[in-house]
Amino acid sequence: MKKTTPILLLMLAMGTLGAASETNQSTPQPTNAPADPSAVKKWQDDRFGMFIHWGPVSLTEKEISWSRGGKGTPVEVYDALYKKFNPEKFNADEWVAAAKAAGMKYIVLTTKHHDGFCLWDSKLTDYTIMNTPFKRDVVKELAEACKKQGIKFGCYYSVPDTHHPGYPYDLTGRGHPMREKYDLDAYHKYLMGQTEELIKNYGPLVTVWYDTDGTVSQVYGKRGFEVINMARKLQPDILIDERTGAPGDYSTPEQRVGGFNMTRPWESCMTISAHNHWAWGGEKDGVKPAGSVITMLAQCAGGDGNMLLNVGPRPDGMIDPEQVEAIRKVGDWLKVNGEGIYATRGGPYMPTPRYTATRKGNKIYLHILKWNGDSCKLPPLGAEIAASSLLAGGKVEVSNRPDGLTVTVPATDRKDSDTVVKLELKGDAMAIQPIKPDPVDQPPGKEKK
Ligand code: JFZ
């Protein structure tokens, strides 16, 4: 094997780390205006949100933006899809009702993905929903339905924009030749103007979820700091993610559960699609079972993170009934077990594929995901337990010994996805230092195949 230079290693790492590398800072950076701590706390208390990837691309059953050109849809065909986009069954109240039934506390919609198409009546471009046969402002209708039904609303907004002549790339993703002529300052003005439209016309927003396709850190420079400072000026309690090129307020692990982290807020984004599609991928795409969504949610909460679960509505405007049904089952589970998810913090036990833990006040919620017979053995707790019970009812025995904590639940009271055991301590659960798993247990996502 040839010797690999450190710079090549760095490039390799950047290439494979994808979105995570966007915040990789080796040189000192200016800081963006900090988030309002009470807004961060409220958002963390919510724990579970709905992500929605939608646009004219749903007509093709292929991935949003990434299917434009290459082996996907020819560029001219993709760019003309909006002329046929007429989602007559779109009903914002139904989308919001589906999110609420799932126990989700906020909704984040792709107002503009990398392909540049805008789902709102933007005054800064003609490439919008108002120039489709549908001619209805989807962002407005959804924002209003959210207000009416009491759920928070946020906007996904892609920094890369392959439609705008000012952005250096006219195809999504890295590795394409740059346009011969482009004007990043003109594009930045456009992005700032559109952000202002979204916050002023559809706010207050819980977040602007800026996105990258891997090109932002390379081209956008320090402009991300200006974006965040401007958004914060317009709405002081807004939260901004980490993909503008500036650190922002929270990290965004994608299609995986984030690692245990009690200091930096984070939110995993995951797809309900069994094929990990963001946009509508057709009936054949498949839906993840409710049980695996529940497990992912427990793993996120146990690591002190949120989960933004994505649905990709159909071209007729409806969220696929199979997706709605799967998330409704998650909502049913949350009605019984939500005490162990909402308004909790992660730990003290650090998450493993067998169990995770959440806590608030003097309570710890053990989420047992896999059983070994009737029992699940954990490392020593090092604190006294006053009482224990199952959130879903039934019998639980807890043996709290210096060599470990063992939880025993009879088969009839064990759940397939997550059995939540509530431990009431004699002292404060928040004061307990994180407890590392036994060496046989690896964090979620790192288990041996
Ligand atoms: C991005 C989008 O590309 C994707 O379509 C979806 O919206 C998701 C939530 O966010 O995902 C990425 C971001 C960066 C890279 C790949 C996918 N990257 O750097 O290669």
Side-chain angles (χ1 to χ4, degrees):
M1 218 175 103
K2 274 201 224 146
K3 235 177 108 190
T4 320
T5 61
I7 198 80
L8 187 63
L9 277 173
L10 185 73
M11 283 168 70
L12 277 170
M14 305 264 287
T16 50
L17 288 175
S21 67
E22 297 283 338
T23 53
N24 206 348
Q25 292 166 44
S26 45
T27 47
Q29 293 268 11
T31 50
N32 51 259
D36 171 350
S38 75
V40 174
K41 184 176 182 306
K42 280 186 204 150
W43 173 81
Q44 287 184 314
D45 284 353
D46 287 346
R47 279 296 182 238
F48 189 26
M50 176 185 269
F51 214 176
I52 306 177
H53 275 64
W54 199 46
V57 71
S58 58
L59 289 160
T60 66
E61 305 191 353
K62 290 183 185 156
E63 192 53 288
I64 192 163
S65 302
W66 295 90
S67 67
R68 183 175 168 276
K71 289 184 189 146
T73 306
V75 168
E76 325 72 74
V77 177
Y78 189 107
D79 291 350
L81 288 170
Y82 76 102
K83 295 181 185 160
K84 301 190 288 191
F85 189 48
N86 195 12
E88 281 175 323
K89 293 188 180 160
F90 169 69
N91 180 331
D93 284 318
E94 282 177 12
W95 285 15
V96 176
K100 287 195 76 172
M104 293 157 165
K105 305 288 187 189
Y106 57 103
I107 293 181
V108 179
L109 169 73
T110 52
T111 59
K112 185 198 82 170
H113 204 261
H114 316 324
D115 61 19
F117 180 78
C118 299
L119 279 172
W120 79 100
D121 183 9
S122 175
K123 301 299 177 214
L124 302 176
T125 175
D126 290 332
Y127 194 38
T128 77
I129 190 76
M130 302 318 278
N131 289 313
T132 65
F134 193 53
K135 292 192 180 61
R136 273 163 55 189
D137 186 333
V138 164
V139 178
K140 180 166 188 268
E141 290 185 25
L142 191 60
E144 281 173 1
C146 284
K147 276 199 192 100
K148 199 167 81 188
Q149 295 191 50
I151 184 167
K152 292 167 199 164
F153 179 63
C155 295
Y156 165 109
Y157 184 97
S158 171
V159 176
D161 185 326
T162 54
H163 187 81
H164 194 287
Y167 199 74
Y169 291 95
D170 59 6
L171 285 169
T172 294
R174 279 171 300 216
H176 302 294
M178 282 192 172
R179 290 180 204 269
E180 269 174 34
K181 270 175 62 189
Y182 59 87
D183 184 344
L184 264 169
D185 290 329
Y187 177 65
H188 182 53
K189 211 172 143 205
Y190 176 74
L191 179 151
M192 297 280 267
Q194 288 205 314
T195 298
E196 196 171 332
E197 285 184 341
L198 292 171
I199 296 175
K200 283 192 174 158
N201 300 339
Y202 312 108
L205 305 177
V206 58
T207 189
V208 183
W209 206 105
Y210 289 102
D211 199 10
T212 178
D213 62 350
T215 60
V216 172
S217 59
Q218 170 205 345
V219 304
Y220 216 58
K222 304 265 187 293
R223 292 177 183 85
F225 293 88
E226 279 178 41
V227 175
I228 298 181
N229 294 340
M230 186 266 298
R232 198 85 87 212
K233 221 178 229 165
L234 291 173
Q235 190 196 312
D237 66 352
I238 202 162
L239 302 179
I240 310 286
D241 74 336
E242 62 167 348
R243 297 190 183 188
T244 60
D249 308 321
Y250 61 93
S251 305
T252 55
E254 184 173 320
Q255 300 288 28
R256 67 182 174 85
V257 173
F260 181 84
N261 192 335
M262 299 283 303
T263 48
R264 165 82 171 171
W266 60 270
E267 172 191 69
S268 281
C269 51
M270 316 265 215
T271 50
I272 188 80
S273 146
H275 282 92
N276 295 336
H277 268 163
W278 295 101
W280 171 241
E283 302 287 348
K284 61 186 185 308
D285 208 27
V287 178
K288 284 178 190 145
S292 45
V293 176
I294 291 167
T295 302
M296 294 186 312
L297 180 60
Q299 281 167 337
C300 287
D304 204 35
N306 285 22
M307 182 165 87
L308 192 59
L309 184 71
N310 182 75
V311 298
R314 302 187 315 204
D316 67 359
M318 280 176 70
I319 303 175
D320 172 49
E322 225 189 304
Q323 296 188 1
V324 171
E325 174 62 8
I327 61 174
R328 191 194 50 79
K329 286 185 187 153
V330 179
D332 289 347
W333 179 86
L334 278 164
K335 278 192 193 124
V336 177
N337 296 284
E339 184 188 331
I341 298 283
Y342 302 122
T344 64
R345 302 300 306 264
Y349 284 107
M350 292 163 79
T352 83
R354 286 197 302 127
Y355 62 82
T356 82
T358 54
R359 52 181 156 166
K360 70 180 136 195
N362 69 332
K363 293 180 266 308
I364 294 176
Y365 302 90
L366 297 176
H367 298 254
I368 312 295
L369 310 173
K370 284 185 191 130
W371 294 90
N372 184 4
D374 285 350
S375 302
C376 181
K377 183 154 193 268
L378 294 89
L381 176 62
E384 281 187 82
I385 300 172
S388 54
S389 57
L390 296 177
L391 286 188
K395 235 181 87 187
V396 57
E397 267 170 44
V398 178
S399 135
N400 186 17
R401 291 162 40 109
D403 65 339
L405 183 93
T406 305
V407 175
T408 307
V409 172
T412 42
D413 298 329
R414 294 200 295 267
K415 305 284 176 252
D416 287 340
S417 42
D418 180 3
T419 312
V420 188
V421 183
K422 176 175 170 177
L423 306 177
E424 286 165 71
L425 307 189
K426 292 191 178 157
D428 181 10
M430 297 310 298
I432 302 174
Q433 290 306 306
I435 304 168
K436 289 207 176 82
D438 288 329
V440 290
D441 290 309
Q442 293 292 319
K446 300 224 173 103
E447 57 264 63
K448 288 196 189 87
K449 290 268 147 58

